[in-house]
């Protein structure tokens, strides 16, 4: 029985949505076998160039590293998390993981239609509003022939690092 040495690199979410000039946090997760206490460099790359490098000491269980990316152009950008192969590692194929970031300059428009008010829709509305990429329009039938329409969105001008914002009803 030989000890297995391996580092597996993954993003918490392989696809992200961001606004132009938004400082987007991305989390890299490392699973290490037989390498507890070993120091590795985790690199964030774009177009083959290293943007940032973090050195971590591997611990038992999940290892997490957080980077921030900012895109100034609309479109799709491919990033990669990479860890140099460790001596004696069984596979180098899982030492890199891709991340796709779609950058937009307008919110995603969501229309929520409700036949009559329900308490659970309030939670769905709050969840959708927590995402700065969503502009939500709700239409609720209060009585036959009487509708209530509201357009809500998170104030994207608020400080993105704190996640503060406000819902504006119109």
């Amino acid at each position: 029985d030989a000890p297995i040495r391996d580092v597996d690199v993954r993003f918490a979410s392989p696809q992200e949505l961001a606004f132009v000039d938004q400082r987007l946090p991305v989390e890299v997760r490392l699973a290490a076998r037989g390498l507890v206490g070993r120091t590795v460099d985790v690199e964030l790359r774009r177009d083959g160039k290293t943007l940032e490098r973090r050195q971590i000491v591997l611990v038992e269980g999940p290892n997490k590293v957080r980077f921030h990316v900012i895109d100034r152009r609309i479109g799709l950008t491919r990033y990669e998390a990479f860890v140099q192969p460790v001596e004696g590692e069984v596979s180098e194929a899982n030492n890199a993981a891709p991340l796709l970031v779609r950058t937009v300059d307008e919110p995603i428009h969501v229309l929520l239609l409700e036949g009559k008010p329900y308490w659970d829709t309030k939670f769905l509305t709050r969840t959708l509003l927590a995402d700065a990429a969503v502009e939500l329009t709700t239409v609720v039938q209060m009585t036959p022939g009487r509708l209530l329409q509201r357009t809500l969105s998170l104030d994207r001008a608020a400080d993105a690092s704190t996640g503060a914002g406000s819902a504006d009803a119109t």
Side-chain angles (χ1 to χ4, degrees):
D1 290 330
I4 295 176
R5 292 183 178 176
D6 190 42
V7 177
D8 181 30
V9 179
R10 297 174 191 261
F11 279 97
S13 175
Q15 296 182 10
E16 294 286 350
L17 180 68
F19 283 103
V20 173
D21 292 329
Q22 177 186 358
R23 189 169 184 251
L24 177 70
V26 294
E27 184 177 281
V28 178
R29 296 182 179 171
L30 302 166
R33 287 191 212 158
L35 298 168
V36 173
R38 191 89 183 249
T39 301
V40 295
D41 289 332
V42 182
E43 298 178 4
L44 180 68
R45 298 176 174 178
R46 180 177 62 208
D47 300 328
K49 297 177 184 175
T50 300
L51 300 175
E52 196 173 343
R53 179 179 288 128
R54 299 264 173 86
Q55 197 174 68
I56 67 163
V57 177
L58 298 172
V59 296
E60 188 69 35
N63 297 269
K64 298 177 183 178
V65 181
R66 182 168 286 193
F67 293 100
H68 289 89
V69 296
I70 298 174
D71 286 319
R72 297 182 182 350
R73 296 175 297 152
I74 299 168
L76 198 60
T77 306
R78 185 179 189 279
Y79 292 90
E80 179 183 55
F82 179 77
V83 173
Q84 290 290 338
V86 177
E87 184 181 328
E89 192 171 358
V90 285
S91 175
E92 297 175 11
N94 58 357
N95 285 31
L99 169 70
L100 292 174
V101 177
R102 179 173 304 281
T103 306
V104 297
D105 63 347
E106 292 183 16
I108 298 167
H109 302 283
V110 176
L111 176 62
L112 176 62
L113 302 173
E114 194 173 18
K116 63 180 181 177
Y118 285 101
W119 63 270
D120 54 348
T121 307
K122 178 189 269 186
F123 295 104
L124 175 60
T125 301
R126 286 182 182 169
T127 301
L128 289 170
L129 283 177
D131 189 345
V134 173
E135 180 179 280
L136 176 65
T137 301
T138 63
V139 178
V140 181
Q141 179 175 303
M142 304 305 283
T143 60
R146 183 171 171 233
L147 303 174
L148 174 65
Q149 177 180 340
R150 296 185 310 163
T151 299
L152 307 159
S153 65
L154 192 66
D155 182 12
R156 290 182 310 219
D159 184 7
S161 64
T162 63
S166 62
D168 299 319
T170 56

PDB file of all heavy atoms in Angstrom, residues 5 35 38 84-90:
ATOM      1  N   ARG A   5      -0.569  10.638  -3.141  1.00  0.00           N
ATOM      2  CA  ARG A   5      -0.351  12.086  -3.075  1.00  0.00           C
ATOM      3  C   ARG A   5      -1.074  12.712  -4.258  1.00  0.00           C
ATOM      4  O   ARG A   5      -0.819  12.339  -5.397  1.00  0.00           O
ATOM      5  CB  ARG A   5       1.128  12.423  -3.161  1.00  0.00           C
ATOM      6  CG  ARG A   5       1.916  11.986  -1.978  1.00  0.00           C
ATOM      7  CD  ARG A   5       3.338  12.424  -2.130  1.00  0.00           C
ATOM      8  NE  ARG A   5       4.105  12.044  -0.973  1.00  0.00           N
ATOM      9  CZ  ARG A   5       5.388  12.225  -0.856  1.00  0.00           C
ATOM     10  NH1 ARG A   5       6.067  12.793  -1.840  1.00  0.00           N
ATOM     11  NH2 ARG A   5       6.022  11.861   0.221  1.00  0.00           N
ATOM     12  N   LEU A  35      -0.742  15.100   1.570  1.00  0.00           N
ATOM     13  CA  LEU A  35       0.114  16.288   1.461  1.00  0.00           C
ATOM     14  C   LEU A  35      -0.124  17.302   2.577  1.00  0.00           C
ATOM     15  O   LEU A  35       0.227  18.471   2.429  1.00  0.00           O
ATOM     16  CB  LEU A  35      -0.108  16.965   0.103  1.00  0.00           C
ATOM     17  CG  LEU A  35       0.246  16.125  -1.120  1.00  0.00           C
ATOM     18  CD1 LEU A  35      -0.274  16.767  -2.393  1.00  0.00           C
ATOM     19  CD2 LEU A  35       1.752  15.919  -1.205  1.00  0.00           C
ATOM     20  N   ARG A  38       2.113  20.495   3.585  1.00  0.00           N
ATOM     21  CA  ARG A  38       2.905  20.894   2.418  1.00  0.00           C
ATOM     22  C   ARG A  38       2.464  22.270   1.940  1.00  0.00           C
ATOM     23  O   ARG A  38       1.282  22.611   1.984  1.00  0.00           O
ATOM     24  CB  ARG A  38       2.689  19.864   1.313  1.00  0.00           C
ATOM     25  CG  ARG A  38       3.592  19.953   0.153  1.00  0.00           C
ATOM     26  CD  ARG A  38       4.838  19.116   0.431  1.00  0.00           C
ATOM     27  NE  ARG A  38       5.759  19.235  -0.652  1.00  0.00           N
ATOM     28  CZ  ARG A  38       6.050  18.252  -1.480  1.00  0.00           C
ATOM     29  NH1 ARG A  38       5.492  17.076  -1.335  1.00  0.00           N
ATOM     30  NH2 ARG A  38       6.902  18.440  -2.445  1.00  0.00           N
ATOM     31  N   GLN A  84       1.068  23.998  -9.236  1.00  0.00           N
ATOM     32  CA  GLN A  84       2.188  23.247  -9.811  1.00  0.00           C
ATOM     33  C   GLN A  84       2.147  21.814  -9.284  1.00  0.00           C
ATOM     34  O   GLN A  84       1.827  21.580  -8.120  1.00  0.00           O
ATOM     35  CB  GLN A  84       3.523  23.887  -9.414  1.00  0.00           C
ATOM     36  CG  GLN A  84       3.792  25.216 -10.071  1.00  0.00           C
ATOM     37  CD  GLN A  84       4.075  25.080 -11.557  1.00  0.00           C
ATOM     38  OE1 GLN A  84       4.472  24.024 -12.053  1.00  0.00           O
ATOM     39  NE2 GLN A  84       3.844  26.155 -12.282  1.00  0.00           N
ATOM     40  N   PRO A  85       2.470  20.835 -10.124  1.00  0.00           N
ATOM     41  CA  PRO A  85       2.481  19.444  -9.673  1.00  0.00           C
ATOM     42  C   PRO A  85       3.465  19.251  -8.511  1.00  0.00           C
ATOM     43  O   PRO A  85       4.535  19.843  -8.471  1.00  0.00           O
ATOM     44  CB  PRO A  85       2.950  18.669 -10.908  1.00  0.00           C
ATOM     45  CG  PRO A  85       2.625  19.567 -12.057  1.00  0.00           C
ATOM     46  CD  PRO A  85       2.765  20.967 -11.548  1.00  0.00           C
ATOM     47  N   VAL A  86       3.057  18.419  -7.570  1.00  0.00           N
ATOM     48  CA  VAL A  86       3.874  18.096  -6.407  1.00  0.00           C
ATOM     49  C   VAL A  86       4.619  16.801  -6.696  1.00  0.00           C
ATOM     50  O   VAL A  86       4.079  15.897  -7.348  1.00  0.00           O
ATOM     51  CB  VAL A  86       2.970  17.947  -5.153  1.00  0.00           C
ATOM     52  CG1 VAL A  86       3.779  17.551  -3.936  1.00  0.00           C
ATOM     53  CG2 VAL A  86       2.196  19.223  -4.908  1.00  0.00           C
ATOM     54  N   GLU A  87       5.841  16.691  -6.217  1.00  0.00           N
ATOM     55  CA  GLU A  87       6.645  15.492  -6.444  1.00  0.00           C
ATOM     56  C   GLU A  87       5.927  14.249  -5.931  1.00  0.00           C
ATOM     57  O   GLU A  87       5.414  14.225  -4.818  1.00  0.00           O
ATOM     58  CB  GLU A  87       7.985  15.637  -5.717  1.00  0.00           C
ATOM     59  CG  GLU A  87       8.929  14.480  -5.971  1.00  0.00           C
ATOM     60  CD  GLU A  87      10.244  14.645  -5.226  1.00  0.00           C
ATOM     61  OE1 GLU A  87      10.680  15.796  -5.041  1.00  0.00           O
ATOM     62  OE2 GLU A  87      10.800  13.623  -4.825  1.00  0.00           O
ATOM     63  N   GLY A  88       5.815  13.258  -6.783  1.00  0.00           N
ATOM     64  CA  GLY A  88       5.167  12.005  -6.420  1.00  0.00           C
ATOM     65  C   GLY A  88       3.655  12.028  -6.564  1.00  0.00           C
ATOM     66  O   GLY A  88       2.984  11.082  -6.157  1.00  0.00           O
ATOM     67  N   GLU A  89       3.113  13.070  -7.162  1.00  0.00           N
ATOM     68  CA  GLU A  89       1.653  13.181  -7.319  1.00  0.00           C
ATOM     69  C   GLU A  89       1.164  12.136  -8.328  1.00  0.00           C
ATOM     70  O   GLU A  89       1.771  11.941  -9.377  1.00  0.00           O
ATOM     71  CB  GLU A  89       1.299  14.601  -7.783  1.00  0.00           C
ATOM     72  CG  GLU A  89      -0.151  14.918  -7.706  1.00  0.00           C
ATOM     73  CD  GLU A  89      -0.448  16.400  -7.961  1.00  0.00           C
ATOM     74  OE1 GLU A  89       0.472  17.199  -8.166  1.00  0.00           O
ATOM     75  OE2 GLU A  89      -1.640  16.718  -7.954  1.00  0.00           O
ATOM     76  N   VAL A  90       0.034  11.484  -8.008  1.00  0.00           N
ATOM     77  CA  VAL A  90      -0.464  10.418  -8.879  1.00  0.00           C
ATOM     78  C   VAL A  90      -1.028  10.937 -10.190  1.00  0.00           C
ATOM     79  O   VAL A  90      -0.935  10.266 -11.207  1.00  0.00           O
ATOM     80  CB  VAL A  90      -1.536   9.543  -8.181  1.00  0.00           C
ATOM     81  CG1 VAL A  90      -0.910   8.623  -7.177  1.00  0.00           C
ATOM     82  CG2 VAL A  90      -2.622  10.367  -7.569  1.00  0.00           C
TER      83      VAL A  90
END
